[in-house]
Amino acid sequence: MAGDGQTAVLDTAWAQIPHSPQATAGIGSFTRSRVERIISLVAGGLGSVIVGLQAFLTALGSTDERPGWHAGLMISVFGSLAVMILACVIGRGVRAAAGVFAFVYVLALVAWPIATAGVPPDALDEPWIWYLLNLATLAAVLAFPFPLQIVWTILAPVLFGLVRLVQVGFAQEYWVAVGLDVSFALILGGVILTLGWLFRSMAVNVDETRARAVASYAKAAAADAAEQERVAVAALMHDSVLAALIAAERAGTPRERTLAATMAREALTRLANTEQDAHEGTDEPWDAAAVAAAIAEAASELGVDVDVQRDIDPHGTPIPGRVARALALAATQAVANAVQHAGGAGLGVAVTAVGGRVRVEVHDAGEGFDLEAVPDDRLGIRASIVARVAAVGGKADLETGPHGTVVRLDWQEPPA
């Protein structure tokens, strides 16, 4: 129950932060996801279209490659680039598409000396494949982790310089031009790499700050809720329990004592129901099988499947409705405690009904706890189990230790 309350507080806090229709990330990646989307749209979409179009127009008139290689290189390089641009625009599969283009481009560079073997270059101008050099760096920024981005930023320009020199037979008149091309590509690639790292780092810092703020809000809201709970319990104790005690003290006749006992029972029931919006309800009788079914259903709502063991006399005495509900609610609280504090280890429930006696036993294989160390404002055991069962004339016993915890709820039909 405490875990559910904390989750609800976090959800409330997160709801205070504005969301856009594209918001799908959680608290920890709210800004990072938007930065990634901006990078993919602006750089991977618009920027790649402009540079890619320039390279494509240059490639259409290229005579650097041997017959049969030109079309194959253009289809593989520009095809993978088009897929990357499409992925960046629609925001789906960006990493995969960018990674494919980065690898295809490097493979195209490796194949470039073979594709251009025996074909003398027309001039000192850069071939069309050079125009896509920094798009390979951008693809690495979109697809790879930071160390691999650094490798790609250096690898692609150096590899281009090498294959370009191989193409021209290491002619001296090309050394300066190729050196300038490689230097320019390294500088521009470093700028792209740095900007990507900078924006992502800023986004991560913003997300961490946001998460701390939400956690602080949740902590304050939880403290406020606990304080309100204490105030409500104090008011309940004053208005109901104290009134019942005063009535019991002043009772002088059998009727007055009966009325005082009724007041005390109702006060204990209200106290037991403080953490759940449950009421005493009618007294229509239940059978023990219905109690077992109610416990199993409640446990299922808590997210655990419990095989409730039944040892029930089919001809047993029916159980008053308020008693049955109290036993079921108390057993449900015991199950919730076992799930929360013992992780549901060894969780089991047994319902025994023979004659006019009903026993519900909930056990787990957790590490146990010190009942005296439980804060006074926690009502999970004292009110939701002990007081709830006592309010209907039953008894709750609890055994806990290193080997687990056992909660026994007993109710005996009063003699006629």
Side-chain angles (χ1 to χ4, degrees):
M1 294 178 64
D4 294 340
Q6 184 177 6
T7 301
V9 171
L10 283 171
D11 291 341
T12 302
W14 182 234
Q16 308 303 316
I17 300 174
H19 292 260
S20 67
Q22 295 79 22
T24 57
I27 296 175
S29 59
F30 183 81
T31 305
R32 173 66 183 269
S33 64
R34 280 144 186 80
V35 168
E36 292 290 344
R37 184 65 179 134
I38 292 171
I39 293 175
S40 63
L41 274 176
V42 176
L46 180 61
S48 297
V49 167
I50 296 174
V51 177
L53 183 60
Q54 180 186 13
F56 182 76
L57 295 177
T58 304
L60 288 177
S62 174
T63 58
D64 288 331
E65 304 96 306
R66 292 188 297 168
W69 280 89
H70 181 65
L73 286 176
M74 285 192 62
I75 291 173
S76 59
V77 173
F78 287 105
S80 58
L81 176 60
V83 172
M84 185 186 82
I85 293 174
L86 179 61
C88 290
V89 171
I90 66 177
R92 303 287 184 182
V94 174
R95 288 182 178 273
V100 169
F101 172 72
F103 277 106
V104 168
Y105 182 79
V106 169
L107 292 177
L109 283 179
V110 173
W112 187 256
I114 303 174
T116 59
V119 180
D122 292 337
L124 294 177
D125 295 336
E126 299 85 357
W128 64 265
I129 200 169
W130 177 81
Y131 293 94
L132 300 175
L133 192 55
N134 288 122
L135 289 189
T137 300
L138 174 61
V141 170
L142 292 174
F144 303 145
F146 189 69
L148 198 54
Q149 295 174 25
I150 298 175
V151 172
W152 229 259
T153 302
I154 299 173
L155 172 66
V158 172
L159 183 59
F160 168 78
L162 178 61
V163 300
R164 178 63 170 163
L165 291 176
V166 171
Q167 176 191 359
V168 299
F170 291 92
Q172 291 185 356
E173 61 267 25
Y174 285 90
W175 281 80
V176 175
V178 172
L180 290 176
D181 291 340
V182 171
S183 299
F184 178 80
L186 285 172
I187 293 172
L188 185 54
V191 171
I192 295 173
L193 177 68
T194 302
L195 288 177
W197 171 82
L198 178 63
F199 289 144
R200 285 168 171 166
S201 298
M202 292 174 60
V204 169
N205 289 335
V206 171
D207 284 331
E208 290 177 352
T209 302
R210 187 193 303 273
R212 287 194 296 268
V214 172
S216 177
Y217 174 90
K219 184 177 181 180
D224 180 67
E227 182 62 26
Q228 292 181 8
E229 181 184 40
R230 282 192 289 268
V231 171
V233 172
L236 174 66
M237 292 292 292
H238 182 274
D239 295 341
S240 300
V241 179
L242 186 59
L245 292 175
I246 293 174
E249 181 184 8
R250 296 178 178 177
T253 65
R255 177 174 175 77
E256 291 176 346
R257 285 191 290 270
T258 301
L259 290 175
T262 302
M263 291 176 61
R265 186 188 68 191
E266 292 178 352
L268 287 172
T269 300
R270 293 193 187 98
L271 179 61
N273 291 333
T274 298
E275 287 192 344
Q276 297 188 33
D277 186 17
H279 302 281
E280 193 169 346
T282 65
D283 215 19
E284 183 178 351
W286 294 25
D287 56 24
V291 175
I295 297 172
E297 181 180 358
S300 177
E301 293 176 357
L302 293 173
V304 292
D305 293 328
V306 178
D307 183 16
V308 180
Q309 302 296 319
R310 295 170 171 86
D311 183 9
I312 299 172
D313 182 1
H315 304 292
T317 304
I319 308 170
R322 59 185 176 83
V323 175
R325 278 187 294 275
L327 293 175
L329 288 172
T332 300
Q333 180 62 51
V335 170
N337 290 345
V339 172
Q340 179 181 353
H341 301 293
L347 178 61
V349 180
V351 177
T352 304
V354 179
R357 182 182 180 184
V358 180
R359 165 172 284 190
V360 179
E361 182 176 299
V362 180
H363 60 269
D364 63 66
E367 298 179 354
F369 62 96
D370 183 3
L371 182 60
E372 299 299 327
V374 177
D376 293 337
D377 60 349
R378 302 306 302 159
L379 305 178
I381 295 177
R382 295 186 177 92
S384 296
I385 297 179
V386 178
R388 174 173 278 132
V389 176
V392 295
K395 181 181 179 182
D397 291 324
L398 186 144
E399 295 180 3
T400 182
H403 302 294
T405 300
V406 180
V407 177
R408 297 185 182 90
L409 314 175
D410 287 293
W411 180 82
Q412 177 71 48
E413 182 183 18

